[in-house]
Amino acid sequence: MKDFDSLKNIWKQQEVKPPADVEALVSKAKRIRREYSSKIMVKILALSLSVVTLIWLFFTIKFESVFTYIGMGLMSVTIVSFIFLSLWHFMFFNNIDFTENPTNTLKKLEKVYSFQKLLKTKLFFIYAVVLSIGLGMYFIEATASFSLAVKLSVYGSTFLWFLVSYFYIGKRQAAKEEKRLQIIIDAIRQMEVEMSGDECLGIK
């Protein structure tokens, strides 16, 4: 199989444009990547805003319980860790060149797919659990003057938030992102088939 850059040079020398199918597949892959990357960046910005808010609360409000500070610290560290993982995912994915050898591109996309699956399953589970624990510790002081019924309601809501976040929202978003990645992978596989037919392209 010839490298796509080599094929483009040959097409340029022969004054022949790359096959329309290949160009269309590359364009499709780039479009889907832009949409996918935009959503990742929105999440990163939202999480960053959450960290800024926690830091502001940490230094502007004097809490009496050490559990409150521990809880806020847990939440901050957890969110920052998730931001860095998401940022690495974003940068690696955006550095993939869809015009290089399709076989190499597929290997990189499979790495992105595997990491995305890990990020949205095991890592997101740890993220949700630690974040819930931190939030629970924060509520110890925040709900100290509340009645037992209100406290149970708050902690029940926190537990419900964890269940909904992990088992519904998280899994639903993961399925959508996997679908987008799979579309790109399928497009690159199709491009590999298109480019492997040198004879069909009239190149020997």
Side-chain angles (χ1 to χ4, degrees):
M1 185 188 302
K2 293 185 170 56
D3 189 288
F4 188 56
D5 290 334
S6 300
L7 290 176
K8 285 198 297 185
N9 290 333
I10 295 173
W11 287 324
K12 187 175 181 181
Q13 291 169 6
Q14 296 179 345
E15 297 184 351
V16 178
K17 291 184 177 181
D21 287 344
V22 173
E23 287 189 329
L25 290 169
V26 170
S27 178
K28 180 181 179 181
K30 287 182 176 180
R31 176 179 56 79
I32 296 173
R33 178 171 63 181
R34 281 195 300 271
E35 295 173 357
Y36 181 81
S37 297
S38 295
K39 291 185 180 295
I40 294 177
M41 279 308 300
V42 169
K43 292 176 185 177
I44 290 174
L45 291 173
L47 290 172
S48 299
L49 182 60
S50 299
V51 173
V52 171
T53 302
L54 284 169
I55 293 173
W56 179 79
L57 289 172
F58 192 93
F59 288 104
T60 56
I61 300 178
K62 187 177 180 180
F63 297 101
E64 296 179 1
S65 174
V66 67
F67 289 108
T68 306
Y69 289 104
I70 294 174
M72 293 174 68
L74 274 176
M75 288 189 284
S76 298
V77 171
T78 303
I79 295 172
V80 169
S81 299
F82 203 77
I83 288 174
F84 276 111
L85 289 171
S86 299
L87 192 58
W88 181 88
H89 181 53
F90 170 84
M91 293 176 66
F92 183 83
F93 186 35
N94 275 274
N95 285 331
I96 295 177
D97 183 3
F98 292 136
T99 62
E100 69 171 350
N101 188 308
T103 301
N104 294 334
T105 302
L106 281 173
K107 289 179 181 178
K108 293 178 181 178
L109 284 173
E110 286 169 2
K111 186 175 181 179
V112 170
Y113 185 89
S114 297
F115 183 76
Q116 190 268 345
K117 199 171 185 65
L118 176 65
L119 189 65
K120 292 300 179 180
T121 52
K122 294 180 180 179
L123 294 179
F124 184 74
F125 177 78
I126 295 172
Y127 167 81
V129 168
V130 178
L131 199 63
S132 297
I133 292 172
L135 195 58
M137 295 179 75
Y138 173 81
F139 282 143
I140 290 175
E141 181 175 346
T143 62
S145 60
F146 295 171
S147 65
L148 179 61
V150 175
K151 288 181 180 179
L152 290 175
S153 177
V154 170
Y155 283 100
S157 298
T158 303
F159 183 66
L160 181 62
W161 170 82
F162 165 74
L163 294 177
V164 172
S165 295
Y166 182 73
F167 291 103
Y168 180 70
I169 298 176
K171 290 186 179 294
R172 188 177 180 184
Q173 288 181 344
K176 288 182 179 179
E177 291 175 4
E178 284 180 18
K179 185 177 180 181
R180 291 191 186 97
L181 282 175
Q182 192 59 56
I183 291 173
I184 295 176
I185 291 172
D186 291 341
I188 299 301
R189 280 177 179 161
Q190 188 177 346
M191 187 170 72
E192 184 179 35
V193 172
E194 294 282 345
M195 291 175 59
S196 65
D198 288 352
E199 288 148 41
C200 296
L201 297 175
I203 301 173
K204 297 182 181 180

